[in-house]
Amino acid sequence: MSKPSNNIERYRQQRRRQRLIRRIVAAVLVLLFGAACLWGYRVYSSREDTTMNQESRSSGFPVKLKGDAVQSARMMGSAFALLTDREFSLYNSKGSTVRSVSHGYFNPSMKTSSKRALLYDIGGTKFSVESKAGEIASAETENKILFGEIAENGNVVLVTSDDRYQNRLTVYNQNGIEIWRWYSAQNLVVALDFVDGGDGCVVAAVTTDAGQPRTTIYGLDFSKGDEEVFSAQVSGSLAFEVSVKSGGAIHLIADNALIVLSDTGEEQSRYEYPKTLMYCDSSPSKYTVLLFGEEVKSNHTVTVLDTGGKTVSSAEFNTRVRGMFSDGSHVVLLTDKQIVCYNMLMKQGKTLDDQSDISLIAGKGGTGYRLNNSKLEKFPIS
């Protein structure tokens, strides 16, 4: 039989052990409770921050800009693409920022298709292709970039200088991999537009002949060798822009006339300018819109031409026109103090007053965007 003193001592040790265990359990519970509270607070704070960020990103129009110098504003499908001297930004139709990224280019320029944007550094060698989701491709050219274009199928054409030729035209696929080259030996390439969704293009190149300007139009097919599909000369005209219309007609916008050519380069018709050409929008597939006037005067004329080069409509304005765009259904003008909307027959629609602080306008499908360095706003066209 155990001694009573030993039993009591064992009993006391067991009691101390039980109290110690209870204290440890209590301490662990307190620590767990504290950790749970801290975790809950962090989750709540994170959700609150996310909600605040979402509310900030989805705050709608007007969108406050950072004051950077605006270089270009274009539509990328239904998204509004904005290029400043520092950043490339995409906004959806609700005013939310889809993407915003620093580009690092010294002299940035931008071209867009419905799903992608081409960013490049004029006079530099770097370029990238961007989408709503992120950067698709980036690469570097061997020579200095003069200008570029991007097709609906993702192909990119960059026109650069060259050590041996006047220009080099390099084609990259949607992954930024070079797939084709073409050289212009004597003529300076000034404009191009795609055919067949991006598998070829029409190029306008200029030179002088006995002191007179001369434009040569080349048809190129990226699936074939570097030989031209066709070439055609237009004497006495200096090309500014070239546009391939629905049905294959080619609109050559020159300094003195709009020349319509067939898809094989034969001249079909010509529209002689009544005044000095100040601006053109050849992006609609069925029209080309021309703005005529003089810098020092406030008398301007807008003329809409169809694919055959025939006049669809024309209107005169006794005010200075500072900007213009067309989405194929509307012509929108930015004058000294107003934004004025028209249909393609130049019948006036909506008018917005007090627009003297607006520097650029763009739009598509009945929606317009106006901006200066500090804000971006949306307005209805029709």
Side-chain angles (χ1 to χ4, degrees):
M1 181 180 293
S2 300
K3 294 182 180 180
S5 59
N6 290 339
N7 292 338
I8 293 173
E9 184 63 28
R10 188 179 299 110
Y11 172 75
R12 289 174 177 173
Q13 289 177 354
Q14 291 175 349
R15 290 290 303 271
R16 285 196 297 269
R17 187 181 298 110
Q18 290 173 354
R19 284 197 297 268
L20 179 60
I21 290 172
R22 284 196 296 269
R23 289 176 183 175
I24 292 173
V25 171
V28 170
L29 290 175
V30 169
L31 289 174
L32 290 175
F33 178 75
C37 291
L38 180 60
W39 177 81
Y41 172 76
R42 287 178 176 174
V43 169
Y44 175 79
S45 298
S46 175
R47 289 178 178 174
E48 186 176 36
D49 290 342
T50 302
T51 302
M52 291 177 66
N53 288 335
Q54 288 175 345
E55 290 175 354
S56 175
R57 291 169 62 87
S58 305
S59 57
F61 293 99
V63 176
K64 186 177 180 181
L65 303 178
K66 298 179 180 180
D68 298 334
V70 175
Q71 304 295 310
S72 181
R74 291 174 172 267
M75 299 305 298
M76 197 182 92
S78 60
F80 180 83
L82 177 63
L83 180 71
T84 71
D85 58 344
R86 295 175 181 272
E87 294 182 341
F88 164 71
S89 300
L90 282 174
Y91 301 92
N92 65 19
S93 59
K94 296 181 180 179
S96 300
T97 304
V98 179
R99 280 196 68 207
S100 186
V101 59
S102 298
H103 52 69
Y105 296 157
F106 180 75
N107 193 8
S109 188
M110 171 179 66
K111 300 295 175 61
T112 57
S113 65
S114 63
K115 295 181 180 180
R116 302 174 181 90
L118 166 66
L119 309 182
Y120 58 92
D121 195 6
I122 300 175
T125 59
K126 294 181 179 181
F127 72 94
S128 67
V129 178
E130 309 286 341
S131 72
K132 294 179 181 179
E135 183 183 275
I136 297 175
S138 64
E140 194 166 350
T141 61
E142 294 180 8
N143 298 295
K144 293 181 179 180
I145 299 171
L146 302 178
F147 71 94
E149 297 287 349
I150 185 167
E152 283 299 316
N153 66 356
N155 281 346
V156 167
V157 171
L158 289 174
V159 177
T160 67
S161 60
D162 190 80
D163 296 334
R164 297 177 56 193
Y165 299 91
Q166 187 73 262
N167 291 129
R168 178 193 300 182
L169 187 150
T170 308
V171 182
Y172 303 84
N173 65 15
Q174 61 182 352
N175 298 317
I177 300 172
E178 182 180 328
I179 59 173
W180 200 77
R181 280 188 185 185
W182 177 80
Y183 297 90
S184 179
Q186 299 177 342
N187 301 331
L188 180 66
V189 177
V190 295
L192 66 91
D193 194 17
F194 291 98
V195 296
D196 299 328
D199 292 328
C201 70
V202 173
V203 171
V206 300
T207 188
T208 57
D209 184 8
Q212 296 297 315
R214 185 184 68 198
T215 296
T216 303
I217 302 296
Y218 300 98
L220 305 177
D221 188 334
F222 306 152
S223 65
K224 299 180 179 180
D226 58 0
E227 293 295 322
E228 298 89 15
V229 177
F230 69 84
S231 65
Q233 291 187 0
V234 179
S235 298
S237 295
L238 188 65
F240 290 155
E241 192 168 324
V242 64
S243 176
V244 179
K245 299 300 179 183
S246 56
I250 300 168
H251 279 200
L252 173 64
I253 299 97
D255 60 332
N256 57 356
L258 182 143
I259 299 102
V260 180
L261 304 124
S262 70
D263 57 1
T264 54
E266 291 85 11
E267 183 171 329
Q268 304 292 303
S269 64
R270 181 180 290 245
Y271 174 82
E272 301 287 346
Y273 299 156
K275 300 177 184 178
T276 302
L277 178 67
M278 298 189 66
Y279 186 79
C280 67
D281 191 334
S282 59
S283 58
S285 62
K286 297 181 180 180
Y287 304 98
T288 292
V289 185
L290 306 175
L291 172 66
F292 304 106
E294 297 179 28
E295 288 288 348
V296 296
K297 296 183 179 180
S298 297
N299 183 265
H300 289 73
T301 301
V302 173
T303 301
V304 180
L305 304 174
D306 64 13
T307 56
K310 295 181 179 180
T311 301
V312 175
S313 59
S314 186
E316 292 190 2
F317 305 90
N318 292 319
T319 183
R320 187 169 66 100
V321 178
R322 298 186 288 127
M324 177 182 77
F325 75 84
S326 176
D327 63 356
S329 299
H330 310 87
V331 176
V332 183
L333 304 181
L334 173 63
T335 69
D336 274 333
K337 298 181 179 180
Q338 293 181 318
I339 293 176
V340 190
C341 306
Y342 300 85
N343 63 15
M344 300 310 290
L345 298 176
M346 293 307 295
K347 181 179 180 181
Q348 185 174 329
K350 290 183 176 294
T351 300
L352 288 79
D353 297 323
D354 302 322
Q355 304 297 306
S356 58
D357 64 328
I358 299 302
S359 57
L360 281 173
I361 57 173
K364 185 179 181 181
T367 300
Y369 296 87
R370 54 186 176 177
L371 72 151
N372 52 31
N373 289 348
S374 62
K375 64 180 177 180
L376 167 65
E377 297 178 288
K378 184 171 71 171
F379 64 92
I381 297 175
S382 57

